[in-house]
Amino acid sequence: MKEVFLGSDHAGFHVKKKVKEFLDKKKIPYHDLGPYQEEKHDDYPDYAFKVAQKVAKDKEAKGILVCGTGVGMTIAANKVPGIRAVAAYDSYSAKMSREDNDANILGLRGRNFPLKKIESIILIWLNTKFSKKSRHERRIQKIARYERR
Ligand code: RB5
């Protein structure tokens, strides 16, 4: 598996640490793009853009972003052309976002969310392939064309 780009804000910092321990355990390589220490007043778009820009450069690349809800990170990452970021709270959204939408960034909720659930969402998301069904390709192409307009 290719290395996964990671980022968080202060609200996701401690969960990102746990995510790294989990990825180590599963022998999944990653590259943490920060922050490297807890910064109480940092802003999630700064790290979302860092990760999204790396992921957008490579069709096979993936990223995982953690903030309080996973939502702000996802909104910001989706502003970068080529990014299809999902805030997944359950295994179904994690699986379908890969199969149907070829999501390339996973936004995770760092506050008040069980770590076991996060771990299972990560595994499902990383291990599910895009179906490449023509209707899904067509829809993704429509989004890409809209971005380029
Ligand atoms: C930060 O307090 C919080 O707003 C942020 O981590 C995130 O949840 C935004 O969507």
Side-chain angles (χ1 to χ4, degrees):
M1 190 176 292
K2 279 198 138 184
E3 67 178 0
V4 180
F5 294 103
L6 301 181
S8 71
D9 69 354
H10 56 280
F13 185 77
H14 291 286
V15 166
K16 185 182 68 177
K17 264 191 178 168
K18 298 280 178 201
V19 166
K20 290 201 283 187
E21 287 170 20
F22 180 66
L23 295 176
D24 283 336
K25 204 167 83 188
K26 295 289 170 189
K27 299 193 171 20
I28 297 169
Y30 57 83
H31 183 171
D32 184 1
L33 297 177
Y36 306 111
Q37 55 196 34
E38 195 178 359
E39 267 297 339
K40 286 217 176 312
H41 300 289
D42 64 9
D43 297 323
Y44 61 80
D46 298 330
Y47 296 98
F49 295 147
K50 275 190 182 184
V51 168
Q53 281 161 4
K54 284 276 191 196
V55 172
K57 280 194 186 124
D58 176 354
K59 265 188 179 318
E60 299 302 312
K62 290 198 176 56
I64 296 180
L65 291 164
V66 197
C67 64
T69 56
V71 173
M73 284 291 201
T74 304
I75 291 172
N78 276 320
K79 301 295 176 193
V80 176
I83 294 303
R84 293 176 300 279
V86 57
Y89 281 23
D90 59 21
S91 50
Y92 186 72
S93 48
K95 182 169 180 279
M96 299 320 288
S97 73
R98 288 287 310 129
E99 256 181 43
D100 290 3
N101 314 111
D102 198 15
N104 49 11
I105 289 188
L106 172 64
L108 292 172
R109 171 176 159 185
R111 282 184 178 143
N112 307 317
F113 201 63
L115 187 62
K116 282 282 155 222
K117 217 166 166 180
I118 285 182
E119 292 176 350
S120 108
I121 287 171
I122 289 174
L123 276 193
I124 290 167
W125 191 78
L126 287 177
N127 288 321
T128 304
K129 291 197 182 340
F130 176 43
S131 70
K132 294 194 173 156
K133 285 184 179 149
S134 62
R135 66 179 186 280
H136 295 306
E137 297 267 20
R138 182 180 71 238
R139 290 159 190 166
I140 287 170
Q141 284 314 314
K142 284 190 178 183
I143 297 170
R145 274 201 301 280
Y146 186 85
E147 273 177 347
R148 290 195 299 268
R149 81 200 185 285

